[in-house]
Amino acid sequence: MPEITVERLSKSFGQEQALKNISFSVHDKEFLTLLGPSGCGKTTTLMSIAGFQRPDEGLISCGDRTFFDRAAKVYLKAEDRNLGMVFQSYAIWPHLTVFGNVAFPLRIRRMKKDALRRRVLETLDLVEMGDYARRYPHELSGGQQQRVALARALVYAPAVLLLDEPFSNLDAKLRERARTWLKHLQAELGLTTLFVTHDQDEALSLSDRIVVMDEGSVLQIGTPEDIYRRPATRFVAEFLGHCNILPARVATATSSGTTGLVLHGNGKPITLSGGDRAAGDEVQLAVRPEAVELTSDESASGENTYRAELRSVSFLGDHYVYELGIDGLALTVTDTRLFVGPAVTVRIPPSACRVLPS
């Protein structure tokens, strides 16, 4: 399968700039996700690659084929790009059976009847819908309709699969099963896949790499673990999972692999691994709730260890969420164990602190 390349892509709608000079690549057989809030430009990017939107500037290519190049005045129509597209609404025709929906792309390509039938039935079996070929869309569940839409996108062996929030209409349990099924299918077929979502769990569980977007710009590109553990900005830290943001000032410059800081709000000292900051610098520390260590031992002491007021606790099945106060500084912590308070001891490992731009 070929690689998708997007270079310096820009797009405006009237006075609003939807895409601002964005660039990224989707590698061969890779599952890459565009992640961001509504209005960040991810769907506009996908539609530009698919050929349903014409960008103002930039270049889009797939392998050695150029889809769009403003400078060279190249624009390939959507039907000539050989891309499989699954829309958020599925967009399957209510007057056609499952077989008819999946067969439609082959009919407009004038495939012979016997070959068409074989290909449709093979594809329906691939998405586990072979027994539903004669049913109509209104006779299917949401998950089954989603699989029909995917089969229609796969039936003509597209170069790349494009998915625009295909699970948003499914309930939570079905969405989780659909994610697992899609990831297995993508790996089995070796499909180069570009996926659009605003759902953090979908992005983390499905992706080989994630492109985080906001306000038409690319903020960070990396593996799910890299982006989660090493966010480049406050927006990335807060959008991808829960995160404590702790304002602080550098008290001592980096020495012996650590940096000494003072937390704003309570004046407590805190040590950071690395940091590469000068004394007096204002910084923000990103600390994931699950990285904080809790204990009921009042005598516990040491680096980054504080007594904290237990303000509230919520039970979420496999873990508890604690809202704590450290002399006025709010902190959210998750743990599988139950602590009853009224106070607990908190330790923030130096390696759990990530410095963000102030």
Side-chain angles (χ1 to χ4, degrees), residues 252-261 271-276 303 350-351 353:
T252 58
T254 304
S255 62
S256 302
T258 62
T259 302
L261 304 95
T271 300
L272 163 74
S273 293
D276 192 25
E303 192 175 53
S351 60
C353 301

Side-chain angles (χ1 to χ4, degrees), residues 18-71:
L19 299 178
K20 303 173 184 177
N21 200 37
I22 69 169
S23 299
F24 64 88
S25 294
V26 190
H27 302 150
D28 181 31
K29 300 181 182 179
E30 181 180 38
F31 197 116
L32 185 130
T33 296
L34 302 182
L35 174 69
S38 297
C40 72
K42 56 188 186 295
T43 295
T44 300
T45 302
L46 192 75
M47 293 301 173
S48 296
I49 294 170
F52 300 128
Q53 293 280 359
R54 187 191 291 261
D56 300 326
E57 301 291 341
L59 180 146
I60 303 170
S61 63
C62 181
D64 58 0
R65 300 181 70 206
T66 299
F67 288 170
F68 171 77
D69 186 346
R70 175 61 187 270

Side-chain angles (χ1 to χ4, degrees), residues 107-123:
R107 287 195 171 115
I108 63 174
R109 287 168 171 79
R110 301 184 183 279
M111 180 178 281
K112 292 183 178 179
K113 188 174 180 179
D114 289 345
L116 180 149
R117 179 176 177 78
R118 283 196 303 271
R119 181 60 183 164
V120 170
L121 293 178
E122 286 171 359
T123 307

Side-chain angles (χ1 to χ4, degrees), residues 337-353:
R337 299 165 297 168
L338 175 62
F339 295 89
V340 294
V344 292
T345 300
V346 171
R347 179 178 179 270
I348 303 176
S351 60
C353 301

Side-chain angles (χ1 to χ4, degrees), residues 1 29 126 154 184-191:
M1 296 293 177
K29 300 181 182 179
L126 184 67
L154 294 174
H184 173 76
L185 182 66
Q186 186 266 342
E188 181 182 341
L189 297 179
L191 278 171

Side-chain angles (χ1 to χ4, degrees), residues 73 101 117-118 160 216 236 246 266 274 285-286 293 323 329 339:
K73 298 182 179 179
N101 268 280
R117 179 176 177 78
R118 283 196 303 271
V160 174
V236 174
L246 309 178
N266 64 11
L285 299 181
E293 300 171 2
E323 299 298 335
L329 182 69
F339 295 89

